[in-house]
Amino acid sequence: DTCIAPGVNVPGERENTAYLQLEDVPSNSRPSMRSKVPWLHRTVGIFLQKFQGIQNGLFFIWQLILTNCLVVCAALLAVKAMEMESIVKFSPQIANLSNWTMEMANLWLLMSYSLSDYLHLRICLCLACICFCVFAATAPIGFILDMFFFNLAMALLNLYHAVVHMYNQRYIEFPPELEQIYATRFEEFMSRTDFQRLAETGLIRMSTKNEWLKRRGDFVTSLCVVVSGRVGVYDKEGSLIDVQGDNDFLEAPEWVRSHLNPEDMRLGASFRVESERVILLKWPRETLVQITRSNHNILTAMRAVLGIQTATVWSRMIEFRKQHPHDAHTHT
């Protein structure tokens, strides 16, 4: 049996799935499966896992306290709006409520702490800091110098991060070939700005019918994705075992097996153009390895995309073999 992936065996398909197997991957190139979770983190996690009731109780207490605090905040704002502050000054030690500039700052901070969206969080913090700056500049006791400049600096920092985040999420128009690959393969896993960094290192290449793109046993020197056309995949006997078309990655299994660094790795199959012409988007190996190492978002996206491609090729190749059990085309 050929081991396609840990725990998955497909009898009788060795000659057709050899370039997908993992058995020849050096053990020292595989990531360690040993858990690196700190013991305290693990202990707390196991404790909470075993005692679900404690989690529910703590969450209820948190909700109860938060709800009452929000009710008090709303009541204080209503009292200030109706100019009835005297009803809350039931003790000489209770000071007057803050002016509206400070109250607006408090509201923006409260809103920011309730947000999980990064951009909205930064915007709310920026607005809160601006309100504190206004309060510091118009305070009844005079211009509060330290409060003004500290909050001005914090407002500018939050504004910077908000603008950078919006800029990184901006729309980028790609040429038709790149737009096709992004929309069908990468849109789910990376932003357009990250794909632009990836696409800038790629090359568009065209080949004609019957041209051998790569031979079995060649070193993996690139990663190619088919933009248009059809590419046949041939085993060591010269039999056609799969046909790859638009948006398919040719060397995906080798890149997955090598954890996105196929140095000194050889191809397990040959690739030949089956259509009149084929257009490829090609990334040189050294360039792609470098960009995945320097950009975690691209690294994660490439792992997902190539992993899906490898699984797709495996299942499609098995189905192809079932449909053509005695119709393999042999070429010399």
Side-chain angles (χ1 to χ4, degrees), residues 47-48 50-61:
F47 176 80
L48 293 176
K50 290 183 177 180
F51 300 97
Q52 293 288 336
I54 295 180
Q55 298 183 55
N56 297 333
L58 292 176
F59 182 67
F60 174 77
I61 294 174

Side-chain angles (χ1 to χ4, degrees), residues 35-71:
S35 176
K36 298 181 180 180
V37 180
W39 70 269
L40 181 60
H41 189 185
R42 185 186 298 110
T43 302
V44 173
I46 294 174
F47 176 80
L48 293 176
Q49 186 177 4
K50 290 183 177 180
F51 300 97
Q52 293 288 336
I54 295 180
Q55 298 183 55
N56 297 333
L58 292 176
F59 182 67
F60 174 77
I61 294 174
W62 173 83
Q63 284 183 312
L64 183 63
I65 297 175
L66 175 62
T67 301
N68 283 278
C69 285
L70 292 176
V71 170

Side-chain angles (χ1 to χ4, degrees), residues 16-278:
N16 302 322
T17 58
Y19 78 110
L20 291 173
Q21 61 188 357
L22 299 178
E23 59 187 21
D24 59 342
V25 179
S27 58
N28 57 4
S29 68
R30 301 181 185 179
S32 174
M33 300 302 292
R34 181 177 299 177
S35 176
K36 298 181 180 180
V37 180
W39 70 269
L40 181 60
H41 189 185
R42 185 186 298 110
T43 302
V44 173
I46 294 174
F47 176 80
L48 293 176
Q49 186 177 4
K50 290 183 177 180
F51 300 97
Q52 293 288 336
I54 295 180
Q55 298 183 55
N56 297 333
L58 292 176
F59 182 67
F60 174 77
I61 294 174
W62 173 83
Q63 284 183 312
L64 183 63
I65 297 175
L66 175 62
T67 301
N68 283 278
C69 285
L70 292 176
V71 170
V72 172
C73 291
L76 291 175
L77 290 177
V79 167
K80 184 171 182 61
M82 293 184 293
E83 298 182 354
M84 301 173 59
E85 297 184 34
S86 58
I87 65 174
V88 298
K89 297 190 64 175
F90 49 83
S91 172
Q93 296 181 345
I94 296 179
N96 294 329
L97 298 180
S98 302
N99 62 32
W100 280 111
T101 305
M102 180 65 76
E103 299 295 2
M104 288 301 299
N106 290 333
L107 285 174
W108 284 120
L109 284 177
L110 180 63
M111 185 179 298
S112 70
Y113 297 142
S114 66
L115 296 173
S116 58
D117 182 82
Y118 179 83
L119 177 60
H120 294 162
L121 170 65
R122 290 294 183 178
I123 292 175
C124 286
L125 287 175
C126 181
L127 293 174
C129 292
I130 291 175
C131 290
F132 281 123
C133 288
V134 174
F135 173 80
T138 60
I141 61 175
F143 192 94
I144 308 177
L145 197 63
D146 56 346
M147 184 179 185
F148 178 85
F149 281 103
F150 271 104
N151 281 279
L152 179 60
M154 289 186 285
L156 293 174
L157 286 172
N158 282 291
L159 178 63
Y160 168 80
H161 288 295
V163 171
V164 168
H165 183 76
M166 287 189 291
Y167 183 77
N168 288 336
Q169 299 300 318
R170 72 190 186 280
Y171 177 83
I172 298 176
E173 187 173 4
F174 299 118
E177 298 86 357
L178 297 179
E179 182 66 33
Q180 171 189 322
I181 299 301
Y182 176 74
T184 57
R185 288 291 185 245
F186 290 98
E187 187 172 18
E188 183 180 355
F189 302 103
M190 68 167 63
S191 65
R192 285 181 174 266
T193 51
D194 283 333
F195 184 71
Q196 183 186 39
R197 299 186 186 100
L198 182 64
E200 286 174 348
T201 64
L203 306 169
I204 298 294
R205 292 289 183 262
M206 185 178 70
S207 300
T208 56
K209 189 172 183 178
N210 294 329
E211 178 180 345
W212 288 97
L213 301 174
K214 299 174 183 294
R215 295 277 190 173
R216 184 178 187 274
D218 292 346
F219 284 107
V220 179
T221 59
S222 62
L223 176 65
C224 299
V225 57
V226 180
V227 177
S228 64
R230 291 179 292 108
V231 176
V233 183
Y234 294 85
D235 62 12
K236 62 181 179 181
E237 304 297 334
S239 298
L240 181 67
I241 57 175
D242 187 29
V243 177
Q244 299 195 354
D246 296 1
N247 312 314
D248 282 337
F249 290 84
L250 300 186
E251 308 95 333
E254 285 76 18
W255 282 82
V256 171
R257 290 162 57 197
S258 61
H259 310 294
L260 301 190
N261 187 14
E263 186 178 3
D264 298 328
M265 179 166 284
R266 297 179 181 271
L267 293 169
S270 300
F271 301 90
R272 196 183 76 159
V273 178
E274 299 295 320
S275 55
E276 291 301 322
R277 70 168 188 172
V278 66

